[in-house]
Amino acid sequence: MAVMKWMRTGLGLTVVTLGLAACGHSNYPPYEPPYTPVGEAVYGWRLEANGDLVVRVRSSGCTNDASFEPYVEGGPGWDFDVELIRIHEDLCEAFFPNGVEVTYTRDDLGLPPGARLRLINPVQR
């Protein structure tokens, strides 16, 4: 009987120890995220009269402005470079051969009024 009690206690301690070890390691996932953010090749872009940046990008039906993270770097003076990094993969199955347009205001980009900008993403045809 004493042996059985000792075995149950030993098994219990083993389970608790393994559980704590797993919790301690949970900050470091053993796998890569399913999607790696990438600089998006765009179909084209333009600046509206009010300063909004409008970019035509590929889409399968689920792409919008939240699909990208705009990175803005200040150049000399009032010149800024903007790069759109796709952070959400579009896994929908709709057919948009010309892509969709996404719009970013100067406020969205953190740019002052009158600042010049250019999109540095590659343009694909």
Side-chain angles (χ1 to χ4, degrees):
M1 203 59 159
V3 172
M4 291 297 285
K5 184 176 181 182
W6 179 81
M7 287 177 62
R8 281 192 304 237
T9 304
L11 181 59
L13 287 174
T14 301
V15 169
V16 169
T17 302
L18 290 174
L20 289 174
C23 289
H25 190 65
S26 67
N27 291 336
Y28 304 98
Y31 55 86
E32 291 293 318
Y35 181 73
T36 302
V38 295
E40 181 84 357
V42 302
Y43 294 146
W45 64 281
R46 69 180 184 278
L47 290 174
E48 297 289 311
N50 64 0
D52 290 352
L53 172 64
V54 180
V55 185
R56 184 167 292 279
V57 295
R58 70 175 171 79
S59 176
S60 297
C62 295
T63 296
N64 59 34
D65 61 338
S67 301
F68 300 93
E69 180 71 34
Y71 287 93
V72 180
E73 283 191 4
W78 286 85
D79 294 331
F80 293 87
D81 290 337
V82 177
E83 181 178 19
L84 295 182
I85 305 295
R86 184 178 283 272
I87 58 173
H88 298 292
E89 189 173 11
D90 187 337
L91 299 176
C92 291
E93 297 180 5
F95 181 61
F96 291 90
N98 297 319
V100 297
E101 289 187 339
V102 294
T103 302
Y104 297 92
T105 67
R106 288 187 178 270
D107 287 341
D108 293 338
L109 301 173
L111 297 176
R116 291 184 301 258
L117 66 93
R118 70 180 177 139
L119 188 72
I120 63 172
N121 294 65
V123 176
Q124 70 181 28
R125 299 285 171 190

